[in-house]
Amino acid sequence: MSHFAKMSEAASVALHAALLMAKKPRELHTARSIAEGLTVSEATLAKVLQRLARAGIVDSTRGPKGGFVLAKNPADVTLLSVYEAIEGTLTPTRCLLSRPVCGGECLLSALLSDVDVQARNFLAGKNLADVAAALPVGGSIEDIEKAG
Amino acid sequence: MSHFAKMSEAASVALHAALLMAKKPRELHTARSIAEGLTVSEATLAKVLQRLARAGIVDSTRGPKGGFVLAKNPADVTLLSVYEAIEGTLTPTRCLLSRPVCGGECLLSALLSDVDVQARNFLAGKNLADVAAALPVGGSIEDIEKAG
DNA sequence: GTTATTTCGGTATTAAAATACCACAATATT
DNA sequence: AATATTGTGGTATTTTAATACCGAAATAAC
């Protein structure tokens, strides 16, 4: 069993964390509460949130009552921006193996670049508000956990 | 700079090696000659060819004048069969992180499974004869190397 | 039947990624 | 001011995959 679509654990966690914060856009979420909401390790999530903060996607405040908030309106945050904050710019793959056999254009470049373009369009075309609205259950973290 | 399309080096080497053999379907190719033709390490290629042999895609003969040949007609070997001989069955990804936030269907499952389906269709729809015919330069390894 | 060539398959080494840990800085509360 | 809470960022550990290595088996050539 193998998969063709690849996304690092970190990128996936980032997208899910952003979605969780988008449900309550004005509230501060601690790393711990997000980690519990996603059932991921706090250590891993901390790194992810750090990078989102540096990319300007979330704002962070330290100390008691501190935490993370989305820096912008959820409708203004595309999934692509979250993804690229973690993974770097998503560019089409040319070829994994630029070798003589292919004679110029690699036999796989069509597939690889098409897949990357499709993924980019998907991620660029959806923002956090879209996704949050599409979820079966409404507002609170409690509701979400019940539904999970 | 990141990529969404993922294929292991081994799978890529397998596809390129199969293509190289498809150019001369009746001849024996040693692991060394294929490795040189692809400019990959012989050690890595050896493992790949072994798995292709076990999957019945190539036949192997040991000893002097030994080597590897395609077991079937190039037109009867899909890229998917070569890919899956290395990576295992290509199945759509559901979600990397089955977490409560998504409430049932993961926010990424549409993207991930679409990408996998697209890749599967692409690979299943092309065989070695198709690809070899599409190459700019004709028959021999020498021609291929000149073109590379 | 001896030697050279080539694949086979297990093991070991290396590289890379994920994950966890810890001391530090900042800030709200008292 | 002291203390508790929370993010920061560097480092270390663990895990996993990729890659390389090496002895063994098979077979053709002489």
Side-chain angles (χ1 to χ4, degrees):
Chain A
M1 191 189 75
S2 67
H3 302 301
F4 204 85
K6 178 201 67 174
M7 186 181 294
S8 73
E9 175 86 359
S12 175
V13 167
L15 287 164
H16 284 85
L19 176 60
L20 198 57
M21 287 186 275
K23 298 291 259 180
K24 295 191 170 183
R26 303 285 168 209
E27 294 182 16
L28 278 169
H29 304 267
T30 65
R32 174 168 304 166
S33 71
I34 297 174
E36 285 170 359
L38 300 180
T39 328
V40 299
S41 96
E42 200 174 330
T44 298
L45 181 70
K47 293 296 183 194
V48 167
L49 289 170
Q50 251 180 41
R51 280 191 273 181
L52 292 182
R54 266 179 251 169
I57 293 180
V58 302
D59 288 331
S60 65
T61 48
R62 297 204 260 197
K65 307 289 179 185
F68 299 88
V69 215
L70 283 179
K72 313 172 195 171
N73 192 292
D76 294 330
V77 181
T78 66
L79 299 189
L80 183 64
S81 69
V82 176
Y83 175 90
E84 291 191 333
I86 304 296
E87 299 277 46
T89 305
L90 178 56
T91 56
T93 312
R94 300 303 295 169
C95 182
L96 302 166
L97 188 75
S98 297
R99 295 292 175 255
V101 225
C102 301
E105 190 79 347
C106 177
L107 80 143
L108 297 174
S109 65
L111 170 61
L112 296 167
S113 59
D114 280 3
V115 164
D116 285 331
V117 167
Q118 180 190 2
R120 174 171 257 276
N121 289 340
F122 180 98
L123 293 172
K126 289 193 173 162
N127 61 55
L128 292 177
D130 294 336
V131 180
L135 290 184
V137 189
S140 75
I141 296 179
E142 294 72 48
D143 288 341
I144 295 171
E145 284 177 340
K146 268 185 264 171
Chain B
M1 192 190 73
S2 67
H3 302 300
F4 205 85
K6 178 201 66 171
M7 185 180 294
S8 72
E9 175 86 1
S12 175
V13 167
L15 287 164
H16 284 85
L19 176 59
L20 198 58
M21 287 187 274
K23 298 291 259 180
K24 294 191 169 183
R26 304 283 169 212
E27 295 182 16
L28 278 168
H29 304 267
T30 65
R32 174 168 303 167
S33 71
I34 297 174
E36 286 171 358
L38 299 179
T39 328
V40 298
S41 97
E42 202 174 329
T44 298
L45 181 69
K47 292 296 184 197
V48 167
L49 290 171
Q50 248 179 45
R51 280 191 272 180
L52 292 182
R54 264 180 252 169
I57 292 180
V58 302
D59 288 331
S60 64
T61 49
R62 296 205 263 199
K65 305 289 178 186
F68 298 89
V69 215
L70 284 179
K72 312 172 196 171
N73 192 293
D76 295 329
V77 182
T78 67
L79 300 189
L80 183 64
S81 68
V82 176
Y83 175 91
E84 291 191 333
I86 304 298
E87 300 276 45
T89 304
L90 178 57
T91 56
T93 312
R94 300 301 297 168
C95 182
L96 302 165
L97 187 75
S98 297
R99 295 291 176 256
V101 224
C102 300
E105 189 78 347
C106 176
L107 80 142
L108 296 175
S109 66
L111 171 60
L112 296 168
S113 59
D114 280 3
V115 164
D116 284 332
V117 167
Q118 180 189 3
R120 174 171 256 276
N121 289 341
F122 180 97
L123 293 172
K126 290 193 173 161
N127 61 55
L128 292 177
D130 294 336
V131 179
L135 291 183
V137 189
S140 74
I141 296 178
E142 294 73 46
D143 289 341
I144 295 170
E145 285 178 339
K146 268 185 262 170

